Amino acid sequence: MLKRKFIIHTPEEIARIRVAAHLTALARDQIAASIQEGMSTKELDMIAGAIIRSLGGKPTFLGYGGFPANICISLNDVVVHGIASNSQIIQKGDIVSIDVGVTFDGATGDTALSVYVGGEPDADNQRLLDGTRLALEAGIAAAKNGNCMRDLSGAVEKVGQAHKLGIVRDFVGHGCGIRLHEPPDVPNFTTPGSGIKLLPGMVLAIEPMFNLGTYKVYVEKDNWTVRTADGKRSAHFEHMVLIGEDQTEVLTRG
Ligand code: MG
């Protein structure tokens, strides 16, 4: 059987995906509002699990490929897939990235954001957060019927470059909706060729992962935690979008 290059969701699926994505956005914002200095990431993860269940959902990441926590919590030089622990305490000046997946009624939402803890970020941290968030918005604006994947990836990449940030290449966005990870890949950088055409019914998780230093990353011995190669900080913002005939809907706006 040929592996599908992308998925066009049916109207019935889209109705369920819309609900799951909305719950995921609510959970993300409630979890973000719970972040406090002095809290362990394990405490935050337990709060996240309780929030997701209180909304009637299931934490998608728990047990996904063996992942051992409710959500991903990635501090500072951790790019993505950080695992909560009792010994990791959130401190003033940290960048905390939360990546939240919620499964509801056989559909899946996936969204992420990074927050600066306590006070105003310095210029570098501000550039990192602004550049990554604005790149996501640029990607959303380019994610429309008739464009190709290169338009989307190029829009994200351009903002990253303008902010002089390292654009992670080893991890990319993805189709999403029924399963957590569906085709196609949604890269944050361009490669030769235009890529697939974006078509109505596609649901894409756009998720720039940008670094203050090198784009290079490595995976720790726990086989999950992804860190920057130079120890500099990273940020991560993610929304799910539905490509429509005439307009694109951000499903995780909240
Ligand atoms: Mg994702």
Side-chain angles (χ1 to χ4, degrees):
M1 193 177 110
L2 264 170
K3 198 162 174 273
R4 281 189 291 180
K5 286 202 172 85
F6 58 84
I7 292 178
I8 303 295
H9 288 289
T10 65
E12 184 277 330
E13 287 173 335
I14 288 167
R16 286 189 287 129
I17 293 166
R18 203 177 261 128
V19 174
H22 178 62
L23 293 176
T24 314
L26 293 177
R28 176 203 62 218
D29 292 344
Q30 289 183 29
I31 296 163
S34 305
I35 296 172
Q36 281 185 14
E37 282 175 58
M39 176 185 273
S40 74
T41 51
K42 182 73 179 179
E43 278 177 85
L44 181 60
D45 186 69
M46 298 314 280
I47 290 169
I51 288 170
I52 291 168
R53 291 187 182 90
S54 76
L55 293 166
K58 262 183 27 186
T60 308
F61 301 162
L62 182 62
Y64 186 87
F67 188 76
N70 291 306
I71 64 168
C72 301
I73 305 175
S74 305
L75 265 55
N76 301 325
D77 66 316
V78 178
V79 180
V80 285
H81 305 163
I83 300 170
S85 94
N86 282 313
S87 60
Q88 185 177 46
I89 307 298
I90 295 169
Q91 306 200 16
K92 185 177 164 75
D94 281 348
I95 285 181
V96 179
S97 301
I98 56 168
D99 193 345
V100 180
V102 175
T103 303
F104 182 84
D105 192 21
T108 303
D110 186 10
T111 179
L113 58 70
S114 298
V115 297
Y116 185 84
V117 179
E120 287 296 306
D122 65 13
D124 277 346
N125 282 300
Q126 192 71 58
R127 173 167 58 88
L128 173 62
L129 292 167
D130 286 348
T132 313
R133 188 174 41 77
L134 292 171
L136 171 57
E137 293 304 327
I140 290 169
K144 54 186 185 187
N145 185 17
N147 268 1
C148 57
M149 189 61 79
R150 187 189 175 85
D151 297 315
L152 193 172
S153 299
V156 173
E157 180 177 55
K158 197 173 153 197
V159 176
Q161 287 170 342
H163 286 77
K164 300 190 163 39
L165 297 169
I167 299 171
V168 173
R169 301 182 75 87
D170 291 358
F171 297 86
V172 295
H174 51 94
C176 184
I178 297 301
R179 287 178 296 122
L180 175 61
H181 291 111
E182 297 175 346
D185 281 352
V186 181
N188 297 311
F189 50 89
T190 51
T191 48
S194 59
I196 62 164
K197 259 189 124 176
L198 305 182
L199 298 169
M202 283 186 182
V203 177
L204 305 176
I206 306 172
E207 50 176 326
M209 293 155 255
F210 289 172
N211 305 338
L212 267 180
T214 179
Y215 72 91
K216 290 182 183 162
V217 301
Y218 69 95
V219 181
E220 269 189 20
K221 287 201 190 75
D222 64 15
N223 282 323
W224 285 108
T225 309
V226 178
R227 284 188 193 272
T228 59
D230 59 8
K232 291 191 177 168
R233 289 181 165 199
S234 188
H236 179 209
F237 288 83
E238 175 178 24
H239 273 308
M240 272 168 79
V241 300
L242 166 67
I243 311 291
E245 290 282 350
D246 304 316
Q247 56 186 22
T248 291
E249 193 179 328
V250 183
L251 301 176
T252 46
R253 196 61 93 181

